[in-house]
């Protein structure tokens, strides 16, 4: 039996907010699949976590399971090609006289397969792009848009960015949620709190050769496999003029 698991987990966000997709690769399957997260000791997902899931299999039309651990293979769709990534089948149990079964799996360390989130991107009138650091990312795709059209795409990393600490106002109880960010609807509270974040800066001035309205789209890239991408975040538009260069 071959299963695929697509675990959409945001590093730094609350356990229980993840979206786990299971596919058994059959259009007309003899059984249904569902999945649940096994209790996790910490309230948020961290870089070193190896999440465990319990996949439930329920037969249709009197279908009965006759499974052993070696009969089941599970592929992690987000694993990419990184060594040590993927998923391990830890246990297989057949229940209810064979009409139900469970498969316990553990996926690789999140630092290998996922990346955290960027919460906001800003452009200053001087052309400095800034965004909060995404955990698990060492580089970011920065797509520059001019007057609504794609203008340039660059990779921003430690070679071309500056970093500073910035105190930001966030929502919610940081002890229960990711970073208290307002997008975590399940734990959002009324109180506001202040949190120190790492903020990265990228200078657009060298790329701006024409006057216009500019915005950027920033996508965090996994620190070990740049093919694994996080969610994109879009800045507002800002009018920029070309830099004046000395002759």
């Amino acid at each position: 039996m071959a299963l695929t698991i697509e675990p959409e987990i945001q590093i730094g966000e609350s356990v229980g907010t993840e979206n786990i997709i299971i596919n058994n690769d059959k259009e007309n399957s003899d059984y249904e699949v569902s999945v649940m997260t096994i209790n996790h000791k910490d309230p948020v997902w961290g870089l070193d976590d190896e999440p465990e899931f319990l996949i439930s299999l329920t037969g249709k039309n009197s279908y009965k399971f006759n499974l052993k651990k070696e009969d089941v293979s599970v592929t992690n769709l987000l694993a990419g090609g990184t060594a040590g990534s993927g998923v391990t089948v830890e246990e297989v149990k057949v229940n209810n006289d064979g009409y139900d079964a469970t498969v316990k799996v553990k996926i690789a360390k999140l630092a290998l397969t996922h990346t955290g989130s960027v919460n906001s991107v800003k452009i200053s009138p001087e052309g400095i792009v800034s965004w909060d650091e995404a955990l698990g990312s060492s580089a970011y795709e920065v797509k520059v848009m001019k007057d609504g059209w794609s203008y340039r795409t660059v990779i921003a990393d430690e070679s071309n960015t500056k970093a500073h600490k910035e105190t930001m106002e966030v929502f919610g109880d940081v002890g229960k949620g990711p970073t208290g960010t307002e997008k975590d609807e399940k734990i959002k509270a009324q109180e506001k709190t202040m949190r120190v974040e790492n903020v990265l800066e990228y200078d657009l001035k060298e790329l701006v050769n024409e006057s216009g309205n500019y915005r950027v789209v920033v996508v965090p890239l996994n620190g070990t496999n740049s093919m694994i991408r996080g969610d994109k975040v879009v800045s507002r538009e800002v009018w920029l003029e070309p830099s004046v260069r000395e002759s």
Side-chain angles (χ1 to χ4, degrees), residues 115-199:
T115 186
S117 300
V118 170
N119 291 309
S120 65
V121 180
K122 301 175 183 178
I123 307 179
S124 73
E126 295 74 35
I128 303 298
V129 182
S130 60
W131 62 89
D132 55 302
E133 180 183 36
L135 296 175
S137 294
S138 57
Y140 303 79
E141 180 186 88
V142 178
K143 184 176 183 180
V144 183
M145 309 290 293
K146 175 183 175 292
D147 298 327
W149 296 89
S150 180
Y151 184 69
R152 289 281 298 276
T153 299
V154 297
I155 300 299
D157 55 27
E158 62 179 4
S159 70
N160 54 16
T161 60
K162 296 179 180 180
H164 69 271
K165 301 285 188 180
E166 189 172 320
T167 301
M168 296 181 176
E169 187 177 62
V170 294
F171 296 85
D173 180 355
V174 282
K176 294 182 179 178
T179 55
T181 52
E182 59 181 330
K183 70 178 182 178
D184 190 355
E185 296 293 339
K186 292 190 176 182
I187 58 112
K188 186 168 65 174
Q190 295 301 315
E191 301 86 9
K192 297 179 181 179
T193 186
M194 306 302 291
R195 184 177 176 87
V196 177
E197 300 279 2
N198 290 326
V199 175

Side-chain angles (χ1 to χ4, degrees), residues 16-123:
T17 60
E18 63 280 341
N19 180 30
I20 312 301
I21 301 170
I22 295 291
N23 192 323
N24 59 1
D25 297 325
K26 293 183 180 180
E27 291 184 6
N28 299 307
S29 174
D30 293 322
Y31 54 90
E32 296 178 342
V33 297
S34 60
V35 65
M36 64 175 289
T37 306
I38 295 176
N39 289 337
H40 189 63
K41 62 181 179 180
D42 296 318
V44 299
W45 291 115
L47 289 170
D48 292 328
D49 284 337
E50 297 175 291
E52 292 182 306
F53 304 105
L54 195 65
I55 302 172
S56 298
L57 310 173
T58 305
K60 297 179 181 178
N61 301 319
S62 300
Y63 179 83
K64 297 184 72 171
F65 296 94
N66 181 22
L67 290 176
K68 299 183 291 295
K69 183 177 177 180
E70 56 267 26
D71 296 329
V72 181
S73 64
V74 184
T75 301
N76 180 359
L77 292 184
L78 298 187
T82 306
S85 65
V87 60
T88 302
V89 177
E90 296 196 306
E91 183 180 75
V92 173
K93 287 185 177 181
V94 176
N95 314 300
N96 191 22
D97 293 328
Y99 291 105
D100 301 311
T102 55
V103 179
K104 181 181 177 182
V105 301
K106 177 188 286 187
I107 68 171
K109 188 180 296 187
L110 291 179
L112 296 174
T113 57
H114 290 71
T115 186
S117 300
V118 170
N119 291 309
S120 65
V121 180
K122 301 175 183 178
I123 307 179

